[in-house]
């Protein structure tokens, strides 16, 4: 009998797991038919939308333009009884706008703890610096269509 229902994460657990995550695997579909998995930094907004940035001319962007269907995987754990994962299926949207990309870079860097958020003036200066990086990049916006999760620790070692 399946015990899948026992290991599925609740919405709040999924959100907490995503907020603590550092690197998510983005899997796009390559032109040769093979999956193209790439580790990506990410940020999740209040509505659960996932954002990533990458170089405008990257292979993953070419793949997404050809076929927007992607999957995302965030995982943790070293032993079977510790495994936690969130698998997201989505249609990727590529947004090529420098100001928007700079804003997403700011949010992503802030969420990762890479920036010390300060007063409005300081934040404006940080965003201006990020704009230079944003000139070469685009945003990948990922609204989840389906989410599958598992947390083997919920079984408390009983299989």
């Amino acid at each position: 009998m399946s015990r899948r229902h026992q290991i599925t994460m609740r919405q709040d657990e999924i959100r907490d797991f995503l907020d603590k995550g550092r690197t998510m695997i983005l899997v796009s579909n390559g032109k040769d038919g093979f999956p193209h998995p790439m580790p990506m930094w990410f940020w999740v907004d209040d509505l659960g939308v996932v954002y990533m940035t990458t170089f405008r001319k990257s292979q993953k962007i070419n793949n997404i333009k050809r076929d927007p269907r992607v999957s995302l995987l965030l995982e943790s754990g070293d032993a079977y009884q510790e495994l936690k994962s969130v698998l997201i299926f989505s249609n990727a949207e590529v947004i090529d706008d420098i100001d928007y990309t700079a804003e997403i870079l700011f949010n992503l860097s802030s969420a990762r703890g890479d920036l010390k958020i300060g007063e409005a003036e300081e934040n404006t200066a940080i965003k201006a610096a990020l704009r230079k990086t944003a000139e070469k990049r685009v945003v990948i916006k990922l609204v989840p269509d389906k989410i599958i999760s598992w947390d083997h620790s919920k079984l408390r070692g009983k299989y």
Side-chain angles (χ1 to χ4, degrees):
M1 181 157 103
S2 175
R3 296 172 59 191
R4 179 95 182 88
H5 66 282
Q6 293 177 297
I7 61 172
T8 299
M9 289 188 230
R10 297 183 317 267
Q11 283 301 120
D12 62 315
E13 292 172 321
I14 290 171
R15 182 56 200 230
D16 184 60
F17 188 66
L18 291 172
D19 286 345
K20 290 178 180 172
R22 301 285 289 169
T23 304
M24 182 180 280
I25 303 300
L26 167 70
V27 184
S28 59
N29 298 303
K31 67 180 178 182
D32 56 5
F34 288 98
H36 184 254
M38 294 302 298
M40 301 286 293
W41 290 347
F42 66 98
W43 170 66
V44 183
D45 72 10
D46 291 339
L47 299 174
V49 177
V50 179
Y51 295 88
M52 301 172 171
T53 72
T54 191
F55 291 103
R56 178 177 284 107
K57 296 180 180 183
S58 68
Q59 183 60 53
K60 62 188 117 353
I61 294 301
N62 292 334
N63 293 345
I64 289 168
K65 286 181 176 178
R66 188 176 43 262
D67 182 353
R69 296 173 300 164
V70 300
S71 53
L72 308 168
L73 179 67
L74 181 64
E75 61 84 26
S76 70
D78 293 320
Y80 186 79
Q81 64 272 16
E82 300 170 348
L83 291 179
K84 286 185 182 184
S85 297
V86 171
L87 173 61
I88 300 172
F89 297 101
S90 179
N91 282 293
E93 177 186 355
V94 176
I95 302 171
D96 192 353
D97 177 277
I98 294 169
D99 292 327
Y100 189 77
T101 302
E103 186 71 25
I104 296 301
L105 283 166
F106 179 82
N107 292 335
L108 194 153
S109 297
S110 298
R112 289 179 55 83
D114 296 339
L115 295 177
K116 302 291 185 227
I117 306 306
E119 299 298 321
E121 286 180 17
E122 293 171 359
N123 291 347
T124 301
I126 291 169
K127 287 178 184 179
L130 288 172
R131 193 175 194 289
K132 192 75 173 154
T133 300
E135 291 174 0
K136 301 175 195 169
R137 302 178 77 83
V138 294
V139 170
I140 304 172
K141 180 180 178 183
L142 304 137
V143 178
D145 290 328
K146 182 177 181 180
I147 299 174
I148 300 170
S149 66
W150 54 95
D151 178 355
H152 287 232
S153 71
K154 290 182 172 194
L155 295 176
R156 296 177 175 29
K158 296 178 185 171
Y159 304 97

